[in-house]
C-alpha cells in the first residue's frame, strides 16, 4: 500500500533565516534565476522547483508552531509531492492515516488557491502533499513551471 502514487518529488523548500541573503547566494553565487519572487522565492531546476522561504513561515505552514515545535526540532526544509488533483491529495492522506503516519496539518484549501497538507517522516522531516492548479504536471512527473522573471 504505497501512499504516493508516483515516485518523485516536485518541490524542495528551504526555510532560511534571511530570505534576501539566501536569494543573493542562490542568484549571485550559484547563478539561479527566479520565476516567482512574492513572499517565497522559487527557482525552476528542470521540472523540480526550489523554494527559499522564511523559516518561521515554513514552520507555520507545516503546522509545527508553539508546543508542537520545540526549539531545534522544527525542520529547515520541506519536500513537496505535487498531486494531480485535490482528490488525489485526500486519497494519499487516507493511506497515510491508515499507516499511522504523523499528520502535522490536514489537507485544506490554501490561501494562494491550492490544496495542501503536511505529514512527518519518522525523523520529523516535513513532506507536503499539494495540488497546485497553476503548475500542471507532465506525464513523466515533472512540473510545468513558469519561465524565470526578467530582472
Amino acid at each position: 500500500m504505497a501512499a504516493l502514487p508516483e515516485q518523485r518529488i516536485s518541490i524542495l523548500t528551504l526555510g532560511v533565516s534571511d530570505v534576501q541573503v539566501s536569494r543573493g547566494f542562490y542568484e549571485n553565487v550559484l547563478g539561479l534565476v527566479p520565476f516567482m519572487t512574492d513572499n517565497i522565492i522559487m527557482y525552476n531546476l528542470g521540472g523540480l522547483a526550489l523554494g527559499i522561504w522564511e523559516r518561521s513561515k515554513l514552520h507555520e505552514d507545516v503546522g509545527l508552531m508553539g508546543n508542537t515545535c520545540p526549539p531545534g526540532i522544527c525542520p529547515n526544509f520541506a519536500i513537496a509531492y505535487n498531486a494531480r488533483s485535490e482528490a488525489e491529495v485526500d486519497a494519499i492522506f487516507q493511506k497515510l492515516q491508515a499507516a499511522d503516519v504523523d499528520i502535522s496539518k490536514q489537507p485544506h484549501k490554501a490561501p494562494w488557491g491550492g490544496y495542501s497538507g503536511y505529514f512527518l517522516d519518522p525523523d520529523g522531516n516535513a513532506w507536503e502533499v499539494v495540488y497546485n492548479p497553476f503548475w500542471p504536471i507532465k506525464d513523466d512527473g515533472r512540473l510545468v513551471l513558469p519561465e524565470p522573471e526578467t530582472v
Side-chain angles (χ1 to χ4, degrees):
M1 174 202 79
L4 298 178
E6 297 175 55
Q7 186 171 309
R8 62 180 161 80
I9 59 174
S10 307
I11 305 167
L12 177 60
T13 301
L14 302 177
V16 300
S17 57
D18 187 318
V19 172
Q20 292 310 315
V21 167
S22 292
R23 182 178 183 179
F25 173 79
Y26 285 96
E27 294 175 24
N28 299 327
V29 176
L30 298 185
L32 302 183
V33 179
F35 67 83
M36 191 171 96
T37 58
D38 294 335
N39 68 357
I40 185 171
I41 312 298
M42 299 296 284
Y43 304 95
N44 183 344
L45 302 181
L48 169 77
L50 173 65
I52 306 297
W53 202 14
E54 185 180 316
R55 187 175 294 130
S56 63
K57 290 182 180 176
L58 174 64
H59 293 167
E60 183 178 347
D61 199 52
V62 172
L64 295 175
M65 295 301 289
N67 295 334
T68 61
C69 189
I73 301 297
C74 280
N76 290 323
F77 67 91
I79 300 168
Y81 178 91
N82 275 45
R84 296 178 188 274
S85 67
E86 290 183 18
E88 186 176 62
V89 172
D90 289 335
I92 290 168
F93 272 86
Q94 288 173 356
K95 290 178 180 178
L96 292 168
Q97 288 171 331
D100 202 30
V101 171
D102 186 0
I103 308 296
S104 61
K105 198 169 196 179
Q106 290 290 336
H108 63 284
K109 291 277 189 189
W112 50 267
Y115 188 70
S116 165
Y118 283 91
F119 68 92
L120 304 177
D121 77 4
D123 288 305
N125 296 306
W127 279 78
E128 179 183 25
V129 179
V130 59
Y131 169 64
N132 184 336
F134 310 108
W135 294 356
I137 301 170
K138 294 181 180 182
D139 289 341
D140 66 4
R142 290 183 297 145
L143 293 175
V144 178
L145 299 169
E147 292 297 317
E149 294 181 352
T150 54
V151 265

